[in-house]
Amino acid sequence: MVSRAERGPVADWFWTIDRFFLATFILLMGVGFMLSFAASPPVAERLGLDSFHFVKRHALFLLPSLAVMVGISFLSPRQVRRAAIILLGVSLGMMVLVLFVGQEVKGSLRWISIAGISIQPSEFMKPAFVVVCAWLFSEHARQPEIPGNLFAILLFGIVGALLVAQPDLGQTILTTAVWGGMFFMAGMPWLWIIVLAGAAVGGFFVAYTMLPHVAGRIDRFLTGEGDTFQVDTAREAIIRGDWFGRGPGEGVVKRIIPDSHTDFVFSVAAEEFGIVFCMVIVLIFSFLVMRGLSHAFRERNDFNRFAVAGLVLQIGIQSMINIGVNLELLPAKGMTLPLISYGGSSMVAICVTAGFVLALTRHRPEKRAVERSLFRSGVGMPAE
């Protein structure tokens, strides 16, 4: 145990970190590792690999991911903003590069190989994009003559265009929802709400008419016709699991779900551990979102408020999309369950998001005392 009287970076970190957030992130990583034993062996066997191939790789991803999360949580808000700007620039550059030299997977160009390691740049773009937009919105709120909102709109246009070019409609929807929520918190004018809502509807219509795979997924969702094997099998796994599951290692339907270790790990959890266990997972994600929004609403600094809200919304909406697909409440979309699904890029990127949340929600009593004094004197909040 670290003493309160002890001074130093580690001691300061230990006594200022939000331990509920930290414990929840680690808990989700532990749940994901446990579920990898249930979900990944059948996939590995179908590919002719060792049964625990993906389990070992999942464990290998956990260590650097945890190190990234804890390391980033040591940063100050100013350092978080600078790190996000650098990460956004690098990830956007790689997203452009992936369109020319990327690896095509299921008709989309999302992956790029660097030194033999496959990386999905859009995963790392998401937390950086949220933090940079939060800074732009906060600068406009602090000094209205700064066109922060306009720059945020232009940045969103660039990110959206790169995602559509891959194409990756799911990430586009996720990014749009999170960005729209942050813009709403920043005081989005009603005119912009109407314009952006119209643009969203128009974009959806264009995607449906111009992208055959998007139209196919929506049509299959609405009519139930066509290749619905994976979602139907996932639903069957959930039904067979009933309330308390068939028991660890006793799942049968999971063996024929193609992406059981990634997009459909929630269905595997339902079959082996039951609906009650899945409800606990949903409650954990709900707790993360609600605690993050509670922090944001208490925060006086605009940058911290927008960034924390945007980051937890990103985790919450992504988990909602993944679970919605598993329950056949949404059209099929390849999107991982944060911190639980197998995937190196997804795991490390979500831990970057978690690290940003931990860094921005740390208790800083001296800073808050100064802010309260300035607030009472009518000076306003200082910029980070």
Side-chain angles (χ1 to χ4, degrees):
M1 181 66 69
V2 181
S3 170
R4 284 184 180 272
E6 186 178 338
R7 286 298 177 187
V10 176
D12 288 341
W13 176 87
F14 181 81
W15 290 113
T16 59
I17 201 74
D18 187 314
R19 296 188 191 87
F20 287 102
F21 265 139
L22 180 62
T24 304
F25 288 133
I26 294 175
L27 174 62
L28 285 174
M29 295 172 76
V31 170
F33 183 57
M34 177 190 72
L35 289 177
S36 70
F37 282 92
S40 64
V43 179
E45 290 167 6
R46 283 198 301 270
L47 297 174
L49 302 171
D50 174 69
S51 296
F52 294 102
H53 172 79
F54 292 112
V55 175
K56 295 173 184 176
R57 288 182 62 84
H58 194 115
L60 189 63
F61 294 144
L62 282 177
L63 296 178
S65 298
L66 186 60
V68 166
M69 180 178 71
V70 173
I72 291 177
S73 69
F74 276 83
L75 302 180
S76 68
R78 186 188 299 274
Q79 292 169 329
V80 165
R81 186 175 68 232
R82 291 174 177 173
I85 292 173
I86 295 172
L87 180 59
L88 182 63
V90 172
S91 59
L92 287 179
M94 293 177 66
M95 287 175 69
V96 173
L97 189 62
V98 81
L99 298 176
F100 300 96
V101 298
Q103 303 169 355
E104 184 172 337
V105 178
K106 297 181 180 180
S108 296
L109 291 168
R110 305 174 189 173
W111 298 84
I112 188 170
S113 181
I114 299 178
I117 301 174
S118 293
I119 297 174
Q120 187 175 358
S122 60
E123 290 287 350
F124 295 92
M125 173 276 299
K126 291 186 297 184
F129 173 75
V130 168
V131 172
V132 172
C133 283
W135 171 56
L136 293 172
F137 287 138
S138 66
E139 286 299 296
H140 180 80
R142 187 170 64 91
Q143 299 183 50
E145 64 273 14
I146 297 177
N149 288 1
L150 177 60
F151 289 149
I153 293 171
L154 293 175
L155 181 58
F156 169 70
I158 294 171
V159 168
L162 289 173
L163 289 173
V164 171
Q166 292 184 353
D168 192 340
L169 186 61
Q171 298 283 23
T172 305
I173 292 173
L174 172 61
T175 303
T176 301
V178 174
W179 181 83
M182 294 170 62
F183 200 175
F184 183 79
M185 286 186 63
M188 179 194 299
W190 278 104
L191 177 61
W192 273 111
I193 294 177
I194 296 172
V195 170
L196 293 175
V201 173
F204 179 81
F205 178 77
V206 170
Y208 181 80
T209 55
M210 301 294 292
L211 301 175
H213 76 283
V214 173
R217 289 183 176 182
I218 294 174
D219 290 342
R220 287 194 295 272
F221 173 74
L222 295 176
T223 64
E225 300 176 355
D227 183 10
T228 59
F229 174 77
Q230 185 148 247
V231 292
D232 290 342
T233 309
R235 180 188 60 189
E236 180 65 21
I238 294 172
I239 293 172
R240 282 177 174 265
D242 206 6
W243 288 103
F244 299 103
R246 300 175 66 89
E250 299 300 319
V252 176
V253 180
K254 70 174 187 180
R255 297 184 177 278
I256 58 175
I257 302 176
D259 296 323
S260 60
H261 62 320
T262 53
D263 303 340
F264 290 90
V265 68
F266 187 81
S267 298
V268 176
E271 183 179 19
E272 298 215 339
F273 299 98
I275 296 173
V276 172
F277 179 78
C278 289
M279 291 172 65
V280 172
I281 293 177
V282 172
L283 288 175
I284 293 174
F285 282 112
S286 300
F287 169 77
L288 276 179
V289 175
M290 295 306 297
R291 187 168 183 83
L293 293 178
S294 177
H295 267 284
F297 291 140
R298 293 197 308 268
E299 180 63 58
R300 295 182 182 276
N301 182 278
D302 286 332
F303 167 67
N304 287 9
R305 180 165 69 252
F306 298 153
V308 170
L311 292 167
V312 296
L313 281 176
Q314 177 193 310
I315 295 174
I317 295 174
Q318 180 169 333
S319 64
M320 183 179 69
I321 292 174
N322 177 277
I323 294 171
V325 169
N326 277 257
L327 297 176
E328 283 196 284
L329 298 176
L330 294 171
K333 177 68 198 79
M335 190 169 290
T336 58
L337 189 59
L339 296 174
I340 293 181
S341 294
Y342 169 84
S345 289
S346 174
M347 178 71 70
V348 176
I350 290 294
C351 281
V352 171
T353 305
F356 284 161
V357 171
L358 290 170
L360 294 171
T361 55
R362 285 176 60 187
H363 304 293
R364 294 178 173 85
E366 299 86 357
K367 169 180 172 291
R368 297 190 189 284
V370 172
E371 287 186 349
R372 283 195 295 270
S373 176
L374 290 170
F375 182 76
R376 293 192 188 101
S377 64
V379 175
M381 295 301 102
E384 286 290 348

